[in-house]
Amino acid sequence: MKQVRMAQLSDASGIAHVHWASWMETYAGLIDPGYLAQRSEEKSRQAFESAGCRDMAVALLDNEIVGPETGEVRGLYVLRRAQGLGLGRELMQLALDALREKGCRQAVLWVLATNEKAMGFYEHYGFAFDGTQKEELRGSSVIEKRYRIRL
């Protein structure tokens, strides 16, 4: 059974696991391995607990958290084994609905320029690259692209 709902503080450990595991699954080979090695599930848990899991939604598959999402569409993560079930679309819809309720007329997100799968997902959803790029340090220098959608 799949479900998408707003996150609660008690979800922090599950969200942290998905955040960490998704980084390991998605960015291996795209980001400096030393940078990835510095990440941990515990660091993610502490960050989500200190933020109170506010403005987040979670996707559950058989009552297990398989994907959190943060407020400004700062990240959308779904474990590989739960991809293709529509949970990413449901998380995105919940996030965009929340932004609309706050009065936003558009949403932006940043995506690693080499993450073609994510760019394809965002483009299919209606986001478009707006021409803005930035360089970030993720162990080594990487390029991120900004995508935008009208709400």
Side-chain angles (χ1 to χ4, degrees):
M1 180 180 89
K2 65 180 187 169
Q3 174 190 10
V4 173
R5 64 167 169 76
M6 294 307 292
Q8 304 163 358
L9 183 57
S10 61
D11 294 325
S13 291
I15 293 168
H17 171 72
V18 171
H19 185 252
W20 174 80
S22 292
W23 269 74
M24 298 304 117
E25 291 176 353
T26 303
Y27 297 122
L30 299 178
I31 290 180
D32 182 299
Y35 180 80
L36 285 177
Q38 294 174 9
R39 302 185 68 83
S40 75
E41 194 169 327
E42 178 60 20
K43 286 179 186 176
S44 291
R45 184 191 59 75
Q46 290 172 0
F48 289 117
E49 280 183 350
S50 69
C53 297
R54 286 182 301 278
D55 295 326
M56 298 183 74
V58 293
L60 295 100
L61 184 61
D62 297 325
N63 294 318
E64 177 189 0
I65 294 174
V66 293
E69 183 282 325
T70 57
E72 73 174 49
V73 192
R74 291 180 17 193
L76 191 152
Y77 301 101
V78 176
L79 294 177
R80 188 169 289 146
R81 66 182 168 82
Q83 292 175 7
L85 301 175
L87 292 166
R89 285 189 305 278
E90 290 183 43
L91 285 169
M92 181 62 77
Q93 190 60 53
L94 191 59
L96 296 180
D97 288 347
L99 290 173
R100 278 186 199 95
E101 287 177 22
K102 291 181 179 185
C104 298
R105 296 180 185 206
Q106 61 183 346
V108 296
L109 56 82
W110 292 89
V111 61
L112 194 62
T114 55
N115 191 344
E116 293 180 16
K117 185 174 181 178
M119 289 185 289
F121 171 81
Y122 298 134
E123 289 167 3
H124 181 75
Y125 203 87
F127 281 84
F129 175 52
D130 70 6
T132 303
Q133 297 187 132
K134 67 179 178 178
E135 188 173 346
E136 291 286 328
L137 187 60
R138 302 279 188 254
S140 63
S141 181
V142 296
I143 302 297
E144 292 183 350
K145 294 181 170 186
R146 187 171 65 191
Y147 275 64
R148 182 178 307 273
I149 190 172
R150 252 195 181 333
L151 302 176

